C-alpha cells in the first residue's frame, strides 16, 4: 500500500515463458554467425536456380530405368545386406562389455574413462573415412566394409549403453549385492533387466543405420552395392543409377518396417 497516495502497489510479475538475457544474447550470436557464414561460402540465388535446372536435366536422363542388369544389382544388394547384418551383430556383441566398462556407477574411474575414450575414438570419424583406412589395411572388398561398420556400431551403441546403465536404479543392484552375489551375477540380475529394452532399441536403430552406411562404404571400395552405383555413375549409365537408387530406397523402407516389427516383439 502506498501510504502517500492510498493506492495498492501491485508487485511486478515476470512472464513464465520469457527468455533470459543470456539466452537472447546466445540466440543473437548464433544468428549473426549463420549470416556471416552464409556470406563466406558463395551462396547466391542465381546459382541456386541454375542448380535446379541442372538437377532437372540430370533426373530426366535417368528415365527410362535400366532393368537389364538385374544380376549385377542383385549381387551388390545381397553383399550390402550381408555387410550390414554381420557388422551389426559383431558391433552389438562388442558394445555390451565395452559399454559396461564405460559405466561410471559400476566401474572405477580409470576403467570407465579408458572405455569412454575408446568409444569416443570409434565415433570420431565418419564410417566412409574409416572404410578408406580399412581398405588401405585389408584391401578392397566386404571385409573392409564390415570392419568399418563394426567401429561405427561400437561408437554409437557403446556410448548409449553406458549412459543407460548410469541411469538405472541402484536399489536393485544393492539388493543383489546384499545376497553376496558375484559381479557377473550383479550385472546379469541387477543391471541387464533394467536396460535390456533400451539396448534392444539401440541395436535395432544401429541395424537400420548400418543398412544405409553399407551402401556408402561401397563407394570407396569396401564392398556392397555402393561400388556398383559408383561404376554406373562413371559410365554415365543414369538409367541403371535410377534402378539402384530406387532399390536402395525400397530396402530402407523395408528395413524400417522390420525394425518396427522387432521393437513390437521386444516391447521397446
Amino acid at each position: 500500500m502506498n501510504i502517500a497516495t492510498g493506492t495498492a502497489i501491485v508487485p511486478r510479475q515476470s512472464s513464465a515463458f520469457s527468455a533470459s538475457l543470456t539466452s537472447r544474447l546466445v540466440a543473437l550470436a548464433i544468428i549473426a554467425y549463420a549470416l556471416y557464414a552464409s556470406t563466406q561460402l558463395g551462396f547466391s540465388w542465381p546459382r541456386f536456380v541454375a542448380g535446379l535446372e541442372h538437377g532437372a536435366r540430370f533426373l530426366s536422363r535417368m528415365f527410362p530405368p535400366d532393368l537389364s542388369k538385374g544380376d549385377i544389382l542383385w549381387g551388390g544388394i545381397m553383399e550390402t545386406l550381408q555387410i550390414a547384418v554381420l557388422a551389426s551383430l559383431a558391433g552389438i556383441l562388442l558394445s555390451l562389455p565395452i559399454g559396461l566398462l564405460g559405466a561410471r556407477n559400476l566401474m572405477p574411474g580409470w576403467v570407465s574413462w579408458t572405455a569412454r575414450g575408446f568409444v569416443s575414438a570409434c565415433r570420431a570419424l565418419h564410417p566412409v573415412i574409416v572404410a578408406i583406412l580399412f581398405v588401405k589395411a585389408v584391401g578392397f572388398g566386404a571385409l573392409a566394409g564390415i570392419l568399418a561398420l563394426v567401429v561405427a556400431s561400437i561408437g554409437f551403441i557403446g556410448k548409449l549403453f553406458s549412459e543407460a546403465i548410469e541411469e538405472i536404479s541402484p536399489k536393485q543392484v544393492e539388493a543383489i549385492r546384499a545376497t553376496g552375489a558375484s559381479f557377473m551375477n550383479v550385472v546379469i540380475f541387477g543391471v541387464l533387466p533394467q536396460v535390456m529394452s533400451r539396448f534392444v532399441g539401440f541395436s535395432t536403430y544401429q541395424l537400420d543405420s548400418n543398412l544405409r552406411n553399407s551402401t556408402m562404404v561401397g563407394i570407396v571400395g569396401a564392398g556392397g552395392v555402393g561400388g556398383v552405383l559408383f561404376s554406373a555413375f562413371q559410365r554415365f549409365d543414369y538409367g541403371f543409377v535410377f534402378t539402384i537408387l530406387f532399390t536402395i530406397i525400397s530396402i530402407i523402407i523395408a528395413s524400417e518396417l522390420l525394425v518396427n516389427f522387432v521393437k513390437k516383439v521386444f516391447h521397446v
Side-chain angles (χ1 to χ4, degrees):
M1 174 73 73
N2 190 324
I3 299 176
T5 60
T7 57
I9 299 176
V10 179
R12 185 177 181 182
Q13 295 181 348
S14 59
S15 173
F17 301 100
S18 63
S20 65
L21 178 62
T22 304
S23 60
R24 291 179 182 178
L25 292 176
V26 171
L28 286 175
I30 293 173
I31 294 173
Y33 182 77
L35 293 174
Y36 167 76
S38 63
T39 60
Q40 298 298 309
L41 298 178
F43 296 157
S44 65
W45 181 250
R47 183 182 175 187
F48 178 72
V49 173
L52 291 179
E53 294 174 356
H54 295 320
R57 194 178 308 117
F58 175 70
L59 289 176
S60 66
R61 296 174 66 181
M62 289 186 174
F63 292 92
D66 185 1
L67 304 177
S68 63
K69 302 181 180 68
D71 293 341
I72 299 174
L73 176 61
W74 179 248
I77 292 296
M78 287 302 296
E79 192 172 57
T80 294
L81 293 175
Q82 291 163 358
I83 290 173
V85 172
L86 291 176
S88 299
L89 182 61
I92 291 167
L93 293 177
L94 291 173
S95 297
L96 269 170
I98 295 174
L100 185 66
L101 292 174
R104 286 170 291 197
N105 56 339
L106 293 180
M107 295 293 168
W110 67 272
V111 175
S112 63
W113 282 112
T114 303
R116 282 176 170 269
F118 177 72
V119 170
S120 298
C122 291
R123 200 176 57 255
L125 299 177
H126 192 276
V128 173
I129 299 175
V130 180
I132 294 173
L133 299 177
F134 278 117
V135 165
K136 294 293 184 183
V138 301
F140 292 100
L143 179 59
I146 292 173
L147 294 174
L149 296 184
V150 167
V151 172
S153 300
I154 293 174
F156 178 76
I157 302 179
K159 172 182 171 57
L160 295 181
F161 191 46
S162 296
E163 294 177 351
I165 293 175
E166 290 176 352
E167 295 173 0
I168 64 173
S169 170
K171 294 181 180 178
Q172 188 170 339
V173 176
E174 293 170 357
I176 299 295
R177 281 176 177 165
T179 64
S182 63
F183 177 75
M184 285 307 300
N185 284 332
V186 171
V187 172
I188 294 173
F189 298 105
V191 176
L192 291 183
Q194 297 190 63
V195 298
M196 186 52 68
S197 61
R198 297 182 66 181
F199 185 71
V200 172
F202 300 152
S203 301
T204 54
Y205 179 81
Q206 187 59 37
L207 174 61
D208 188 52
S209 177
N210 281 344
L211 281 171
R212 297 182 178 88
N213 290 331
S214 61
T215 62
M216 291 192 298
V217 297
I219 295 175
V220 295
V225 75
V228 180
L229 178 64
F230 185 63
S231 299
F233 267 115
Q234 286 186 314
R235 297 193 307 270
F236 305 102
D237 189 359
Y238 296 125
F240 191 40
V241 167
F242 178 84
T243 305
I244 297 171
L245 293 179
F246 183 79
T247 305
I248 293 174
I249 293 172
S250 301
I251 291 175
I252 297 302
I253 294 174
S255 72
E256 187 74 21
L257 298 175
L258 176 63
V259 167
N260 290 334
F261 174 74
V262 172
K263 287 182 177 178
K264 287 181 180 178
V265 170
F266 287 96
H267 304 289
V268 178

